Amino acid sequence: MAKITRGFSGRKREHTKELPPGQHLVDGFPVLSAGPTPRIAKQDWELFVHTGPGETKKWTWQEFTSLPSSDVTTDIHCVTSWSKLATRWRGVAMDVILDGVPAEQQFWMAHCYGGYTTNLQLDDLRGGRAWIAYEYDGRDLSPEHGGPARLLVPHLYFWKSAKWIRGFVLQDKDKPGFWEQNGYHLRGDPWREERYSRWF
Ligand SMILES: Nc1nc2c(c(=O)[nH]1)N[C@H]1C(S)=C(S)[C@@H](COP(=O)(O)O)O[C@H]1N2
Ligand SMILES: [Mo]
């Protein structure tokens, strides 16, 4: 069955491919960083999950890359309105990293090398929809795009996909991260157009 194209614009995909409201496709892969690109050598890289005083899990690069990983092909949507379809990644599912975390531990802050932060709920990090990606398009993730490793949460706007991921800290409630403090939505579902927080 062919898809029905409404109207005739001559522009490809305008009405045939499902994009979230207000989004358009880009060529290439834009780089959006709030500051300079940190360069972290793999031997200095470490990932942590901090749930309380004295309760920190840590992985070195070697330990992290020994965890089971998966290939992910997914669309990504930046709040500045560009989207990219069928991007290819390889990474470790957040289900592996947050294995054993009880459901009550719902609110997390992702922390990055370089200081960027973004808040995420456990329900958005688990269930096979978030990864720590270390390959893009079959190659090591480049520093500009967050290498050695970045968070990938493609069902939320791309600002949630924290580059140069360093770790996760449990929060007692949902608190805004870097962009959220500057007016972006606390959750950021592109299909609901949760771009900005209503308070701003
Ligand atoms: N550490 C860090 N992560 C970040 C950002 C950033 O500035 N610093 N920018 C966010 C934003 S707004 C977007 S759109 C994507 C951009 O990722 P890209 O540069 O790989 O396209 O990274 C997100 N993750
Ligand atoms: Mo963004």
Side-chain angles (χ1 to χ4, degrees):
M1 254 300 266
K3 280 201 184 123
I4 294 164
T5 305
R6 259 188 283 174
F8 181 76
S9 69
R11 273 190 278 169
K12 265 202 295 181
R13 280 172 160 161
E14 199 70 69
H15 302 282
T16 51
K17 185 72 199 184
E18 310 79 357
L19 278 180
Q23 296 294 114
H24 69 272
L25 293 174
V26 276
D27 294 324
F29 193 173
V31 171
L32 277 102
S33 306
T37 296
R39 309 271 161 172
I40 311 108
K42 286 173 182 169
Q43 67 265 23
D44 300 328
W45 186 91
E46 203 175 56
L47 179 73
F48 72 83
V49 172
H50 185 69
T51 49
E55 291 166 52
T56 306
K57 277 207 240 174
K58 282 184 179 173
W59 294 264
T60 62
W61 182 259
Q62 208 188 347
E63 289 164 343
F64 168 71
T65 51
S66 306
L67 296 171
S69 58
S70 33
D71 288 313
V72 182
T73 300
T74 186
D75 304 344
I76 53 178
H77 311 290
C78 173
V79 71
T80 61
S81 88
W82 59 265
S83 290
K84 225 174 138 46
L85 302 178
T87 57
R88 291 174 52 238
W89 308 81
R90 183 167 190 83
V92 175
M94 280 303 295
D95 299 82
V96 175
I97 303 297
L98 296 176
D99 184 40
V101 165
E104 311 84 83
Q105 299 190 345
Q106 193 57 224
F107 302 114
W108 294 83
M109 190 69 77
H111 289 259
C112 301
Y113 293 95
Y116 184 87
T117 55
T118 189
N119 59 302
L120 290 140
Q121 294 192 33
L122 186 64
D123 293 343
D124 286 317
L125 288 172
R126 284 203 305 208
R129 20 195 225 160
W131 296 266
I132 294 186
Y134 55 87
E135 279 181 27
Y136 175 76
D137 223 1
R139 294 189 187 170
D140 280 2
L141 186 60
S142 68
E144 291 72 22
H145 288 296
R150 77 180 295 166
L151 187 60
L152 176 66
V153 193
H155 71 283
L156 300 178
Y157 281 121
F158 210 36
W159 89 77
K160 294 289 184 183
S161 293
K163 303 197 280 190
W164 317 294
I165 190 71
R166 182 177 202 167
F168 299 86
V169 178
L170 180 66
Q171 310 285 309
D172 52 5
K173 58 181 173 124
D174 205 3
K175 293 177 189 161
F178 175 77
W179 279 121
E180 295 84 5
Q181 285 173 34
N182 287 286
Y184 284 6
H185 195 277
L186 276 179
R187 179 153 183 267
D189 180 344
W191 297 96
R192 302 171 69 166
E193 257 201 296
E194 293 173 342
R195 295 177 194 274
Y196 306 107
S197 173
R198 66 182 73 230
W199 327 118
F200 286 85

